[in-house]
Each structure stands twice: as C-alpha cells, then as structure tokens.
Amino acid sequence: MTSPTPTGPAGTAPPRRRFCLRTHVQLGLIAVIVTATLLATWQFKKAGDCYQDAVAEELRLQTAVQEEARYVYADEAPLGFRVAAASSRAEALGALKDDGRLAASEFSLAEQEAVSLRHSAAPESIIGSDRYRDAQKGYDVPRRLAHQEKRDPAEYRLTPNGTMEDGDRWAAWGRFSLALAGAAVLAMMAAASVLRPEPWRIPPSTGSSPRLLRGIDPIPQPATASPDHRRGTQMHLLVVVLLFLLPLLQLAAASNEQRAQAEASRHALRLGSAIVASGQREAFLTQAVTESQVADIHAAARELAVLYEKDSPAVRHERAVASAETSHASRLRVMAEYMGRAPSRADGVSAASVAALRARPEDWPGMRAEQNRQKLVADAAGDRGLYLAAATALAVVAEMLAAAFLESDRLFRMGWPAGIAALSSGITAWALLS
C-alpha cells in the first residue's frame, strides 16, 4: 500500500513541487540567457564575416578600377590622342597640300603617322577601329573604359555596400538576441528580489523522498533568504547579474569594433584608388592640353616667322599654313577636354570607377578624415572591450568572495566583494560612457 502524497496548505501544491517549480524557473531563465547569448555570438560572427567579405570585395573592386584606369588612361588614351591629333592636322592641311611644298610635306607626315599607328594597333584597342572615334572630338575614352570593364564583369558586380548591409542586418539580430538575454537577466533579478510568491517561501517537506533539483537555487535568492543573510545575498545577486551582463556588452563592443575596422579599411582602399585613378586621368588630360598649347605656340611662331617678310606666293602659303595650324591647335584643345573628361554613369562606366575618376585633390582630405574617424571608432570599441573584460575579471573575483563569505557565514567580510563589485561597475560605466 502506497503512502499518500503529502500536501501543503489548502489550495496549494505539495512543497516538493513548489520548490521544484522555483528551481525550474531559475534554470529556465538561465537557459534563455545561455541560448540567447550563444545565438547572439553566432549572429555577430556572421556579421563579422560579412564585414570582412566587404573589405575583400572592396579590395578586388578597387584593384580592378585602378588597373583599368591605368590601362585606358596611361596606355591607350595618349596613343589615341596622338592619332586624333595627327588626323586633325592632316585634315587642316589637306586643303593646302596642292598650294605649296610646305603644306604637302606636313600633310603627308601627319597622314602617314595616323594611318601607320592605326594599322599597327590591335583591332580591339581604342584606335584599332572607328568604334570610339569622333571625327571632331577624337576618341570617346570613357566609353572605351566602360567596354573594357565588361571584359571582366565579375569584379564590377561586387557590391561591398550590400555586403556591409548584410552584416548590419546580422548585427541587428545579434543586438536583438542580446536584448532578449538582458531582459532574461533582469527578469531573473526581479524574480529573485521582488517577486516573492507565498508558496515559494514554504520550507520543503521532510517526509517526502528527495529529488535531484529540490531546494537548489542556481541564482542567489534575496527574497527567500533569512533576514540576517538577505543584504549579503542581494549583493551576491548583483555580482551574478554583472557576470551575466558584462559578456553581452563585450559581444556588442567586439561587433562595433569589427564594423568600424572594416569601414576604415574600405575608406583607405577607396582613397588609394581615387588618388591613383584620378591621377592617371588628370595626367593624361594635362599632357593633352599641354600638347594643344604647344601646337598653338608652333602656329604662332610660324606666323611670326613670316610677319615681316615681303609678300610672295611662298610667304602667303606659309601664312595659310600657320592659320591652319592655329585652327588645328584650337581643335586639339577641344579633343583634350573631350577625351580627358571625367566619366559618368551615362557613359556606362561602373559607379566605383566614376567615384574614383571624378575624385579631386580637394576631396582627399575629407576622405582621409572619414577614414580616421572610423579608425577612432574602432579604437574606442576595442578599448571598451578591454575595459569590459577587466570589469568581468573583477566581477568573477567578487562573486567567488561573496559565495565563500556567505557559505562560511562571515558576513562581516562582505565589504570586500562589495568594493570589488563597485569597482567593476565603475569600470563598466566608464567603458560605456567614455
């Protein structure tokens, strides 16, 4: 015959079940905290992976931008401008070639230069066909750059900004998980300190068989502690709460540091690419404009050479040649500005190339300032993580001392863990506010 199950006061469950319920509530909250913390760790890890992928993609993209800019503006565009200049000169002198030997000779030199350079060029190059040629303005260099980018489209399909946004979404989910863990910690603290249901304070029954989780309190319980231990237990609970919260703050700080480091790296890559790519374009434009100025000087010098000569067919012919060369110099300036213009998205050029090639020296200080700002943000987040690690170490010491003094009933020594916990709290506040 089995003995009846012991019961408590009327309308209440047996004491054994009451104490198991209290223990299960504590373990349930701890399980929520652990699960949310592990989930946040995984989410922040995914965010960090995205941030690193964004840096790698930015590196590949900006390397491609620099290489294509170097090839088009340093290798092809100068040769294209030379061919366009020779063609323009031959066109300007073509009407005079039958009037005198000077025009005929200069016309033949210019025409032969343009024809020879075009015939010796590869068909797919800028001067190898008329695909990019404009008879009045030279060659369409930005359109050539756009077609060159399409030869290796994989690099230009990279979207570092989108990858960073993916990382930010993972980080947002990580912060949500941290908030869930923090809410569970606060609920645990409230359940231990404020919520004190009457059944939870009934002592366990001595007539029932023991159970594994009966009477176990993983979390300090000031609400059910004896009056002389309540203050010490409250302090112990605060230390335990610190131990739960500090790792959550460290995870958030580490994620912020990773993001800021990634942004600083990306800004450094963009700055380097802008300096190199825009420098290539500006160098070509400067060289082309200089050539147009030299052509104008030559035309003026030729006209000056016959300014005081007696009128004769040869002198009139040379003056006509000087006038044609002056007109040719004006066209060269138009060609230089057209071929060396900054590309736009309307030319079919990628956004990364447009940003790099349109950058100007006056833009670089602002880009450097943004890079330095992101570096300072990363440094601050790293320092915050170190401070929080130190606070966590102090909280561990405080928890060990508090547990030992409570167990040995030496409550007069609780000032030591209280002081260490206060120091840990102070470092935490400094880390969060500085």
Side-chain angles (χ1 to χ4, degrees):
M1 181 176 182
T2 59
S3 58
T5 302
T7 60
T12 63
R16 179 177 62 188
R17 292 183 178 274
R18 294 169 193 147
F19 272 81
C20 289
L21 175 62
R22 185 178 72 186
T23 301
H24 287 339
V25 168
Q26 297 176 53
L27 292 178
L29 290 174
I30 292 175
V32 171
I33 296 170
V34 171
T35 302
T37 302
L38 292 177
L39 182 60
T41 302
W42 177 72
Q43 290 165 337
F44 282 131
K45 189 262 182 189
K46 296 290 289 184
D49 290 344
C50 289
Y51 295 149
Q52 294 305 313
D53 289 344
V55 174
E57 291 177 4
E58 194 75 58
L59 176 60
R60 291 174 56 192
L61 177 59
Q62 297 304 330
T63 299
V65 167
Q66 293 181 48
E67 178 57 26
E68 297 300 346
R70 183 206 60 78
Y71 177 74
V72 171
Y73 284 96
D75 294 346
E76 289 202 325
L79 189 59
F81 183 78
R82 183 169 182 176
V83 170
S87 299
S88 173
R89 181 176 172 81
E91 182 180 346
L93 296 172
L96 303 174
K97 66 179 180 178
D98 296 330
D99 297 341
R101 184 61 191 161
L102 177 60
S105 176
E106 294 295 329
F107 168 80
S108 297
L109 289 174
E111 185 181 45
Q112 187 62 35
E113 179 182 358
V115 171
S116 297
L117 288 176
R118 293 186 64 188
H119 285 178
S120 62
E124 67 274 7
S125 67
I126 192 172
I127 63 173
S129 67
D130 292 335
R131 181 179 186 182
Y132 309 102
R133 187 180 180 185
D134 186 305
Q136 301 300 319
K137 299 180 180 180
Y139 289 90
D140 193 342
V141 179
R143 190 156 64 94
R144 168 61 178 163
L145 176 62
H147 290 166
Q148 188 67 21
E149 288 181 345
K150 293 176 181 178
R151 292 166 58 91
D152 190 11
E155 304 295 338
Y156 295 94
R157 291 198 190 105
L158 297 174
T159 55
N161 289 336
T163 305
M164 286 293 294
E165 291 173 0
D166 290 340
D168 290 341
R169 281 190 286 270
W170 280 111
W173 281 110
R175 287 190 290 272
F176 175 79
S177 298
L178 291 186
L180 180 61
V185 172
L186 296 179
M188 176 186 71
M189 183 178 179
S193 301
V194 179
L195 303 178
R196 295 165 49 177
E198 184 67 24
W200 285 17
R201 290 182 285 147
I202 298 177
S205 172
T206 57
S208 59
S209 59
R211 295 185 57 164
L212 181 62
L213 296 179
R214 182 175 175 178
I216 295 177
D217 286 321
I219 305 301
Q221 300 287 312
T224 57
S226 59
D228 56 333
H229 284 73
R230 184 162 297 158
R231 187 176 298 275
T233 306
Q234 287 175 341
M235 196 281 299
H236 191 198
L237 176 63
L238 291 176
V239 174
V240 171
V241 168
L242 271 178
L243 286 176
F244 277 114
L245 290 179
L246 285 173
L248 306 181
L249 298 176
Q250 285 180 272
L251 284 174
S255 178
N256 292 338
E257 181 182 12
Q258 284 184 314
R259 190 189 191 285
Q261 285 178 340
E263 283 288 19
S265 298
R266 292 180 64 218
H267 281 288
L269 292 170
R270 289 176 180 175
L271 174 60
S273 180
I275 292 175
V276 173
S278 63
Q280 295 282 0
R281 185 183 68 82
E282 289 292 342
F284 163 71
L285 177 59
T286 301
Q287 180 183 3
V289 170
T290 301
E291 290 185 21
S292 70
Q293 292 172 344
V294 170
D296 191 46
I297 293 172
H298 288 176
R302 188 182 298 279
E303 187 171 0
L304 184 62
V306 296
L307 182 62
Y308 300 105
E309 295 291 330
K310 293 182 179 181
D311 186 48
S312 66
V315 170
R316 288 195 297 270
H317 176 66
E318 193 164 352
R319 285 175 180 169
V321 171
S323 177
E325 288 181 339
T326 301
S327 176
H328 161 65
S330 299
R331 286 185 61 185
L332 279 187
R333 182 60 182 259
V334 174
M335 288 180 180
E337 294 177 350
Y338 174 74
M339 294 179 65
R341 74 188 189 277
S344 65
R345 292 290 289 155
D347 296 310
V349 180
S350 66
S353 293
V354 168
L357 290 166
R358 296 182 74 89
R360 297 170 296 176
E362 52 267 32
D363 299 330
W364 299 342
M367 298 174 71
R368 289 193 184 97
E370 180 60 22
Q371 176 197 352
N372 292 333
R373 188 186 73 82
Q374 292 293 341
K375 182 180 180 299
L376 291 176
V377 172
D379 291 342
D383 293 342
R384 188 176 301 114
L386 289 176
Y387 290 141
L388 292 173
T392 302
L394 290 174
V396 170
V397 174
E399 200 281 333
M400 294 174 61
L401 292 177
F405 293 153
L406 282 173
E407 182 67 22
S408 61
D409 205 21
R410 297 184 180 182
L411 301 181
F412 61 94
R413 295 185 179 273
M414 290 297 290
W416 284 97
I420 296 175
L423 179 60
S424 176
S425 300
I427 294 176
T428 301
W430 169 262
L432 296 178
L433 298 177
S434 62

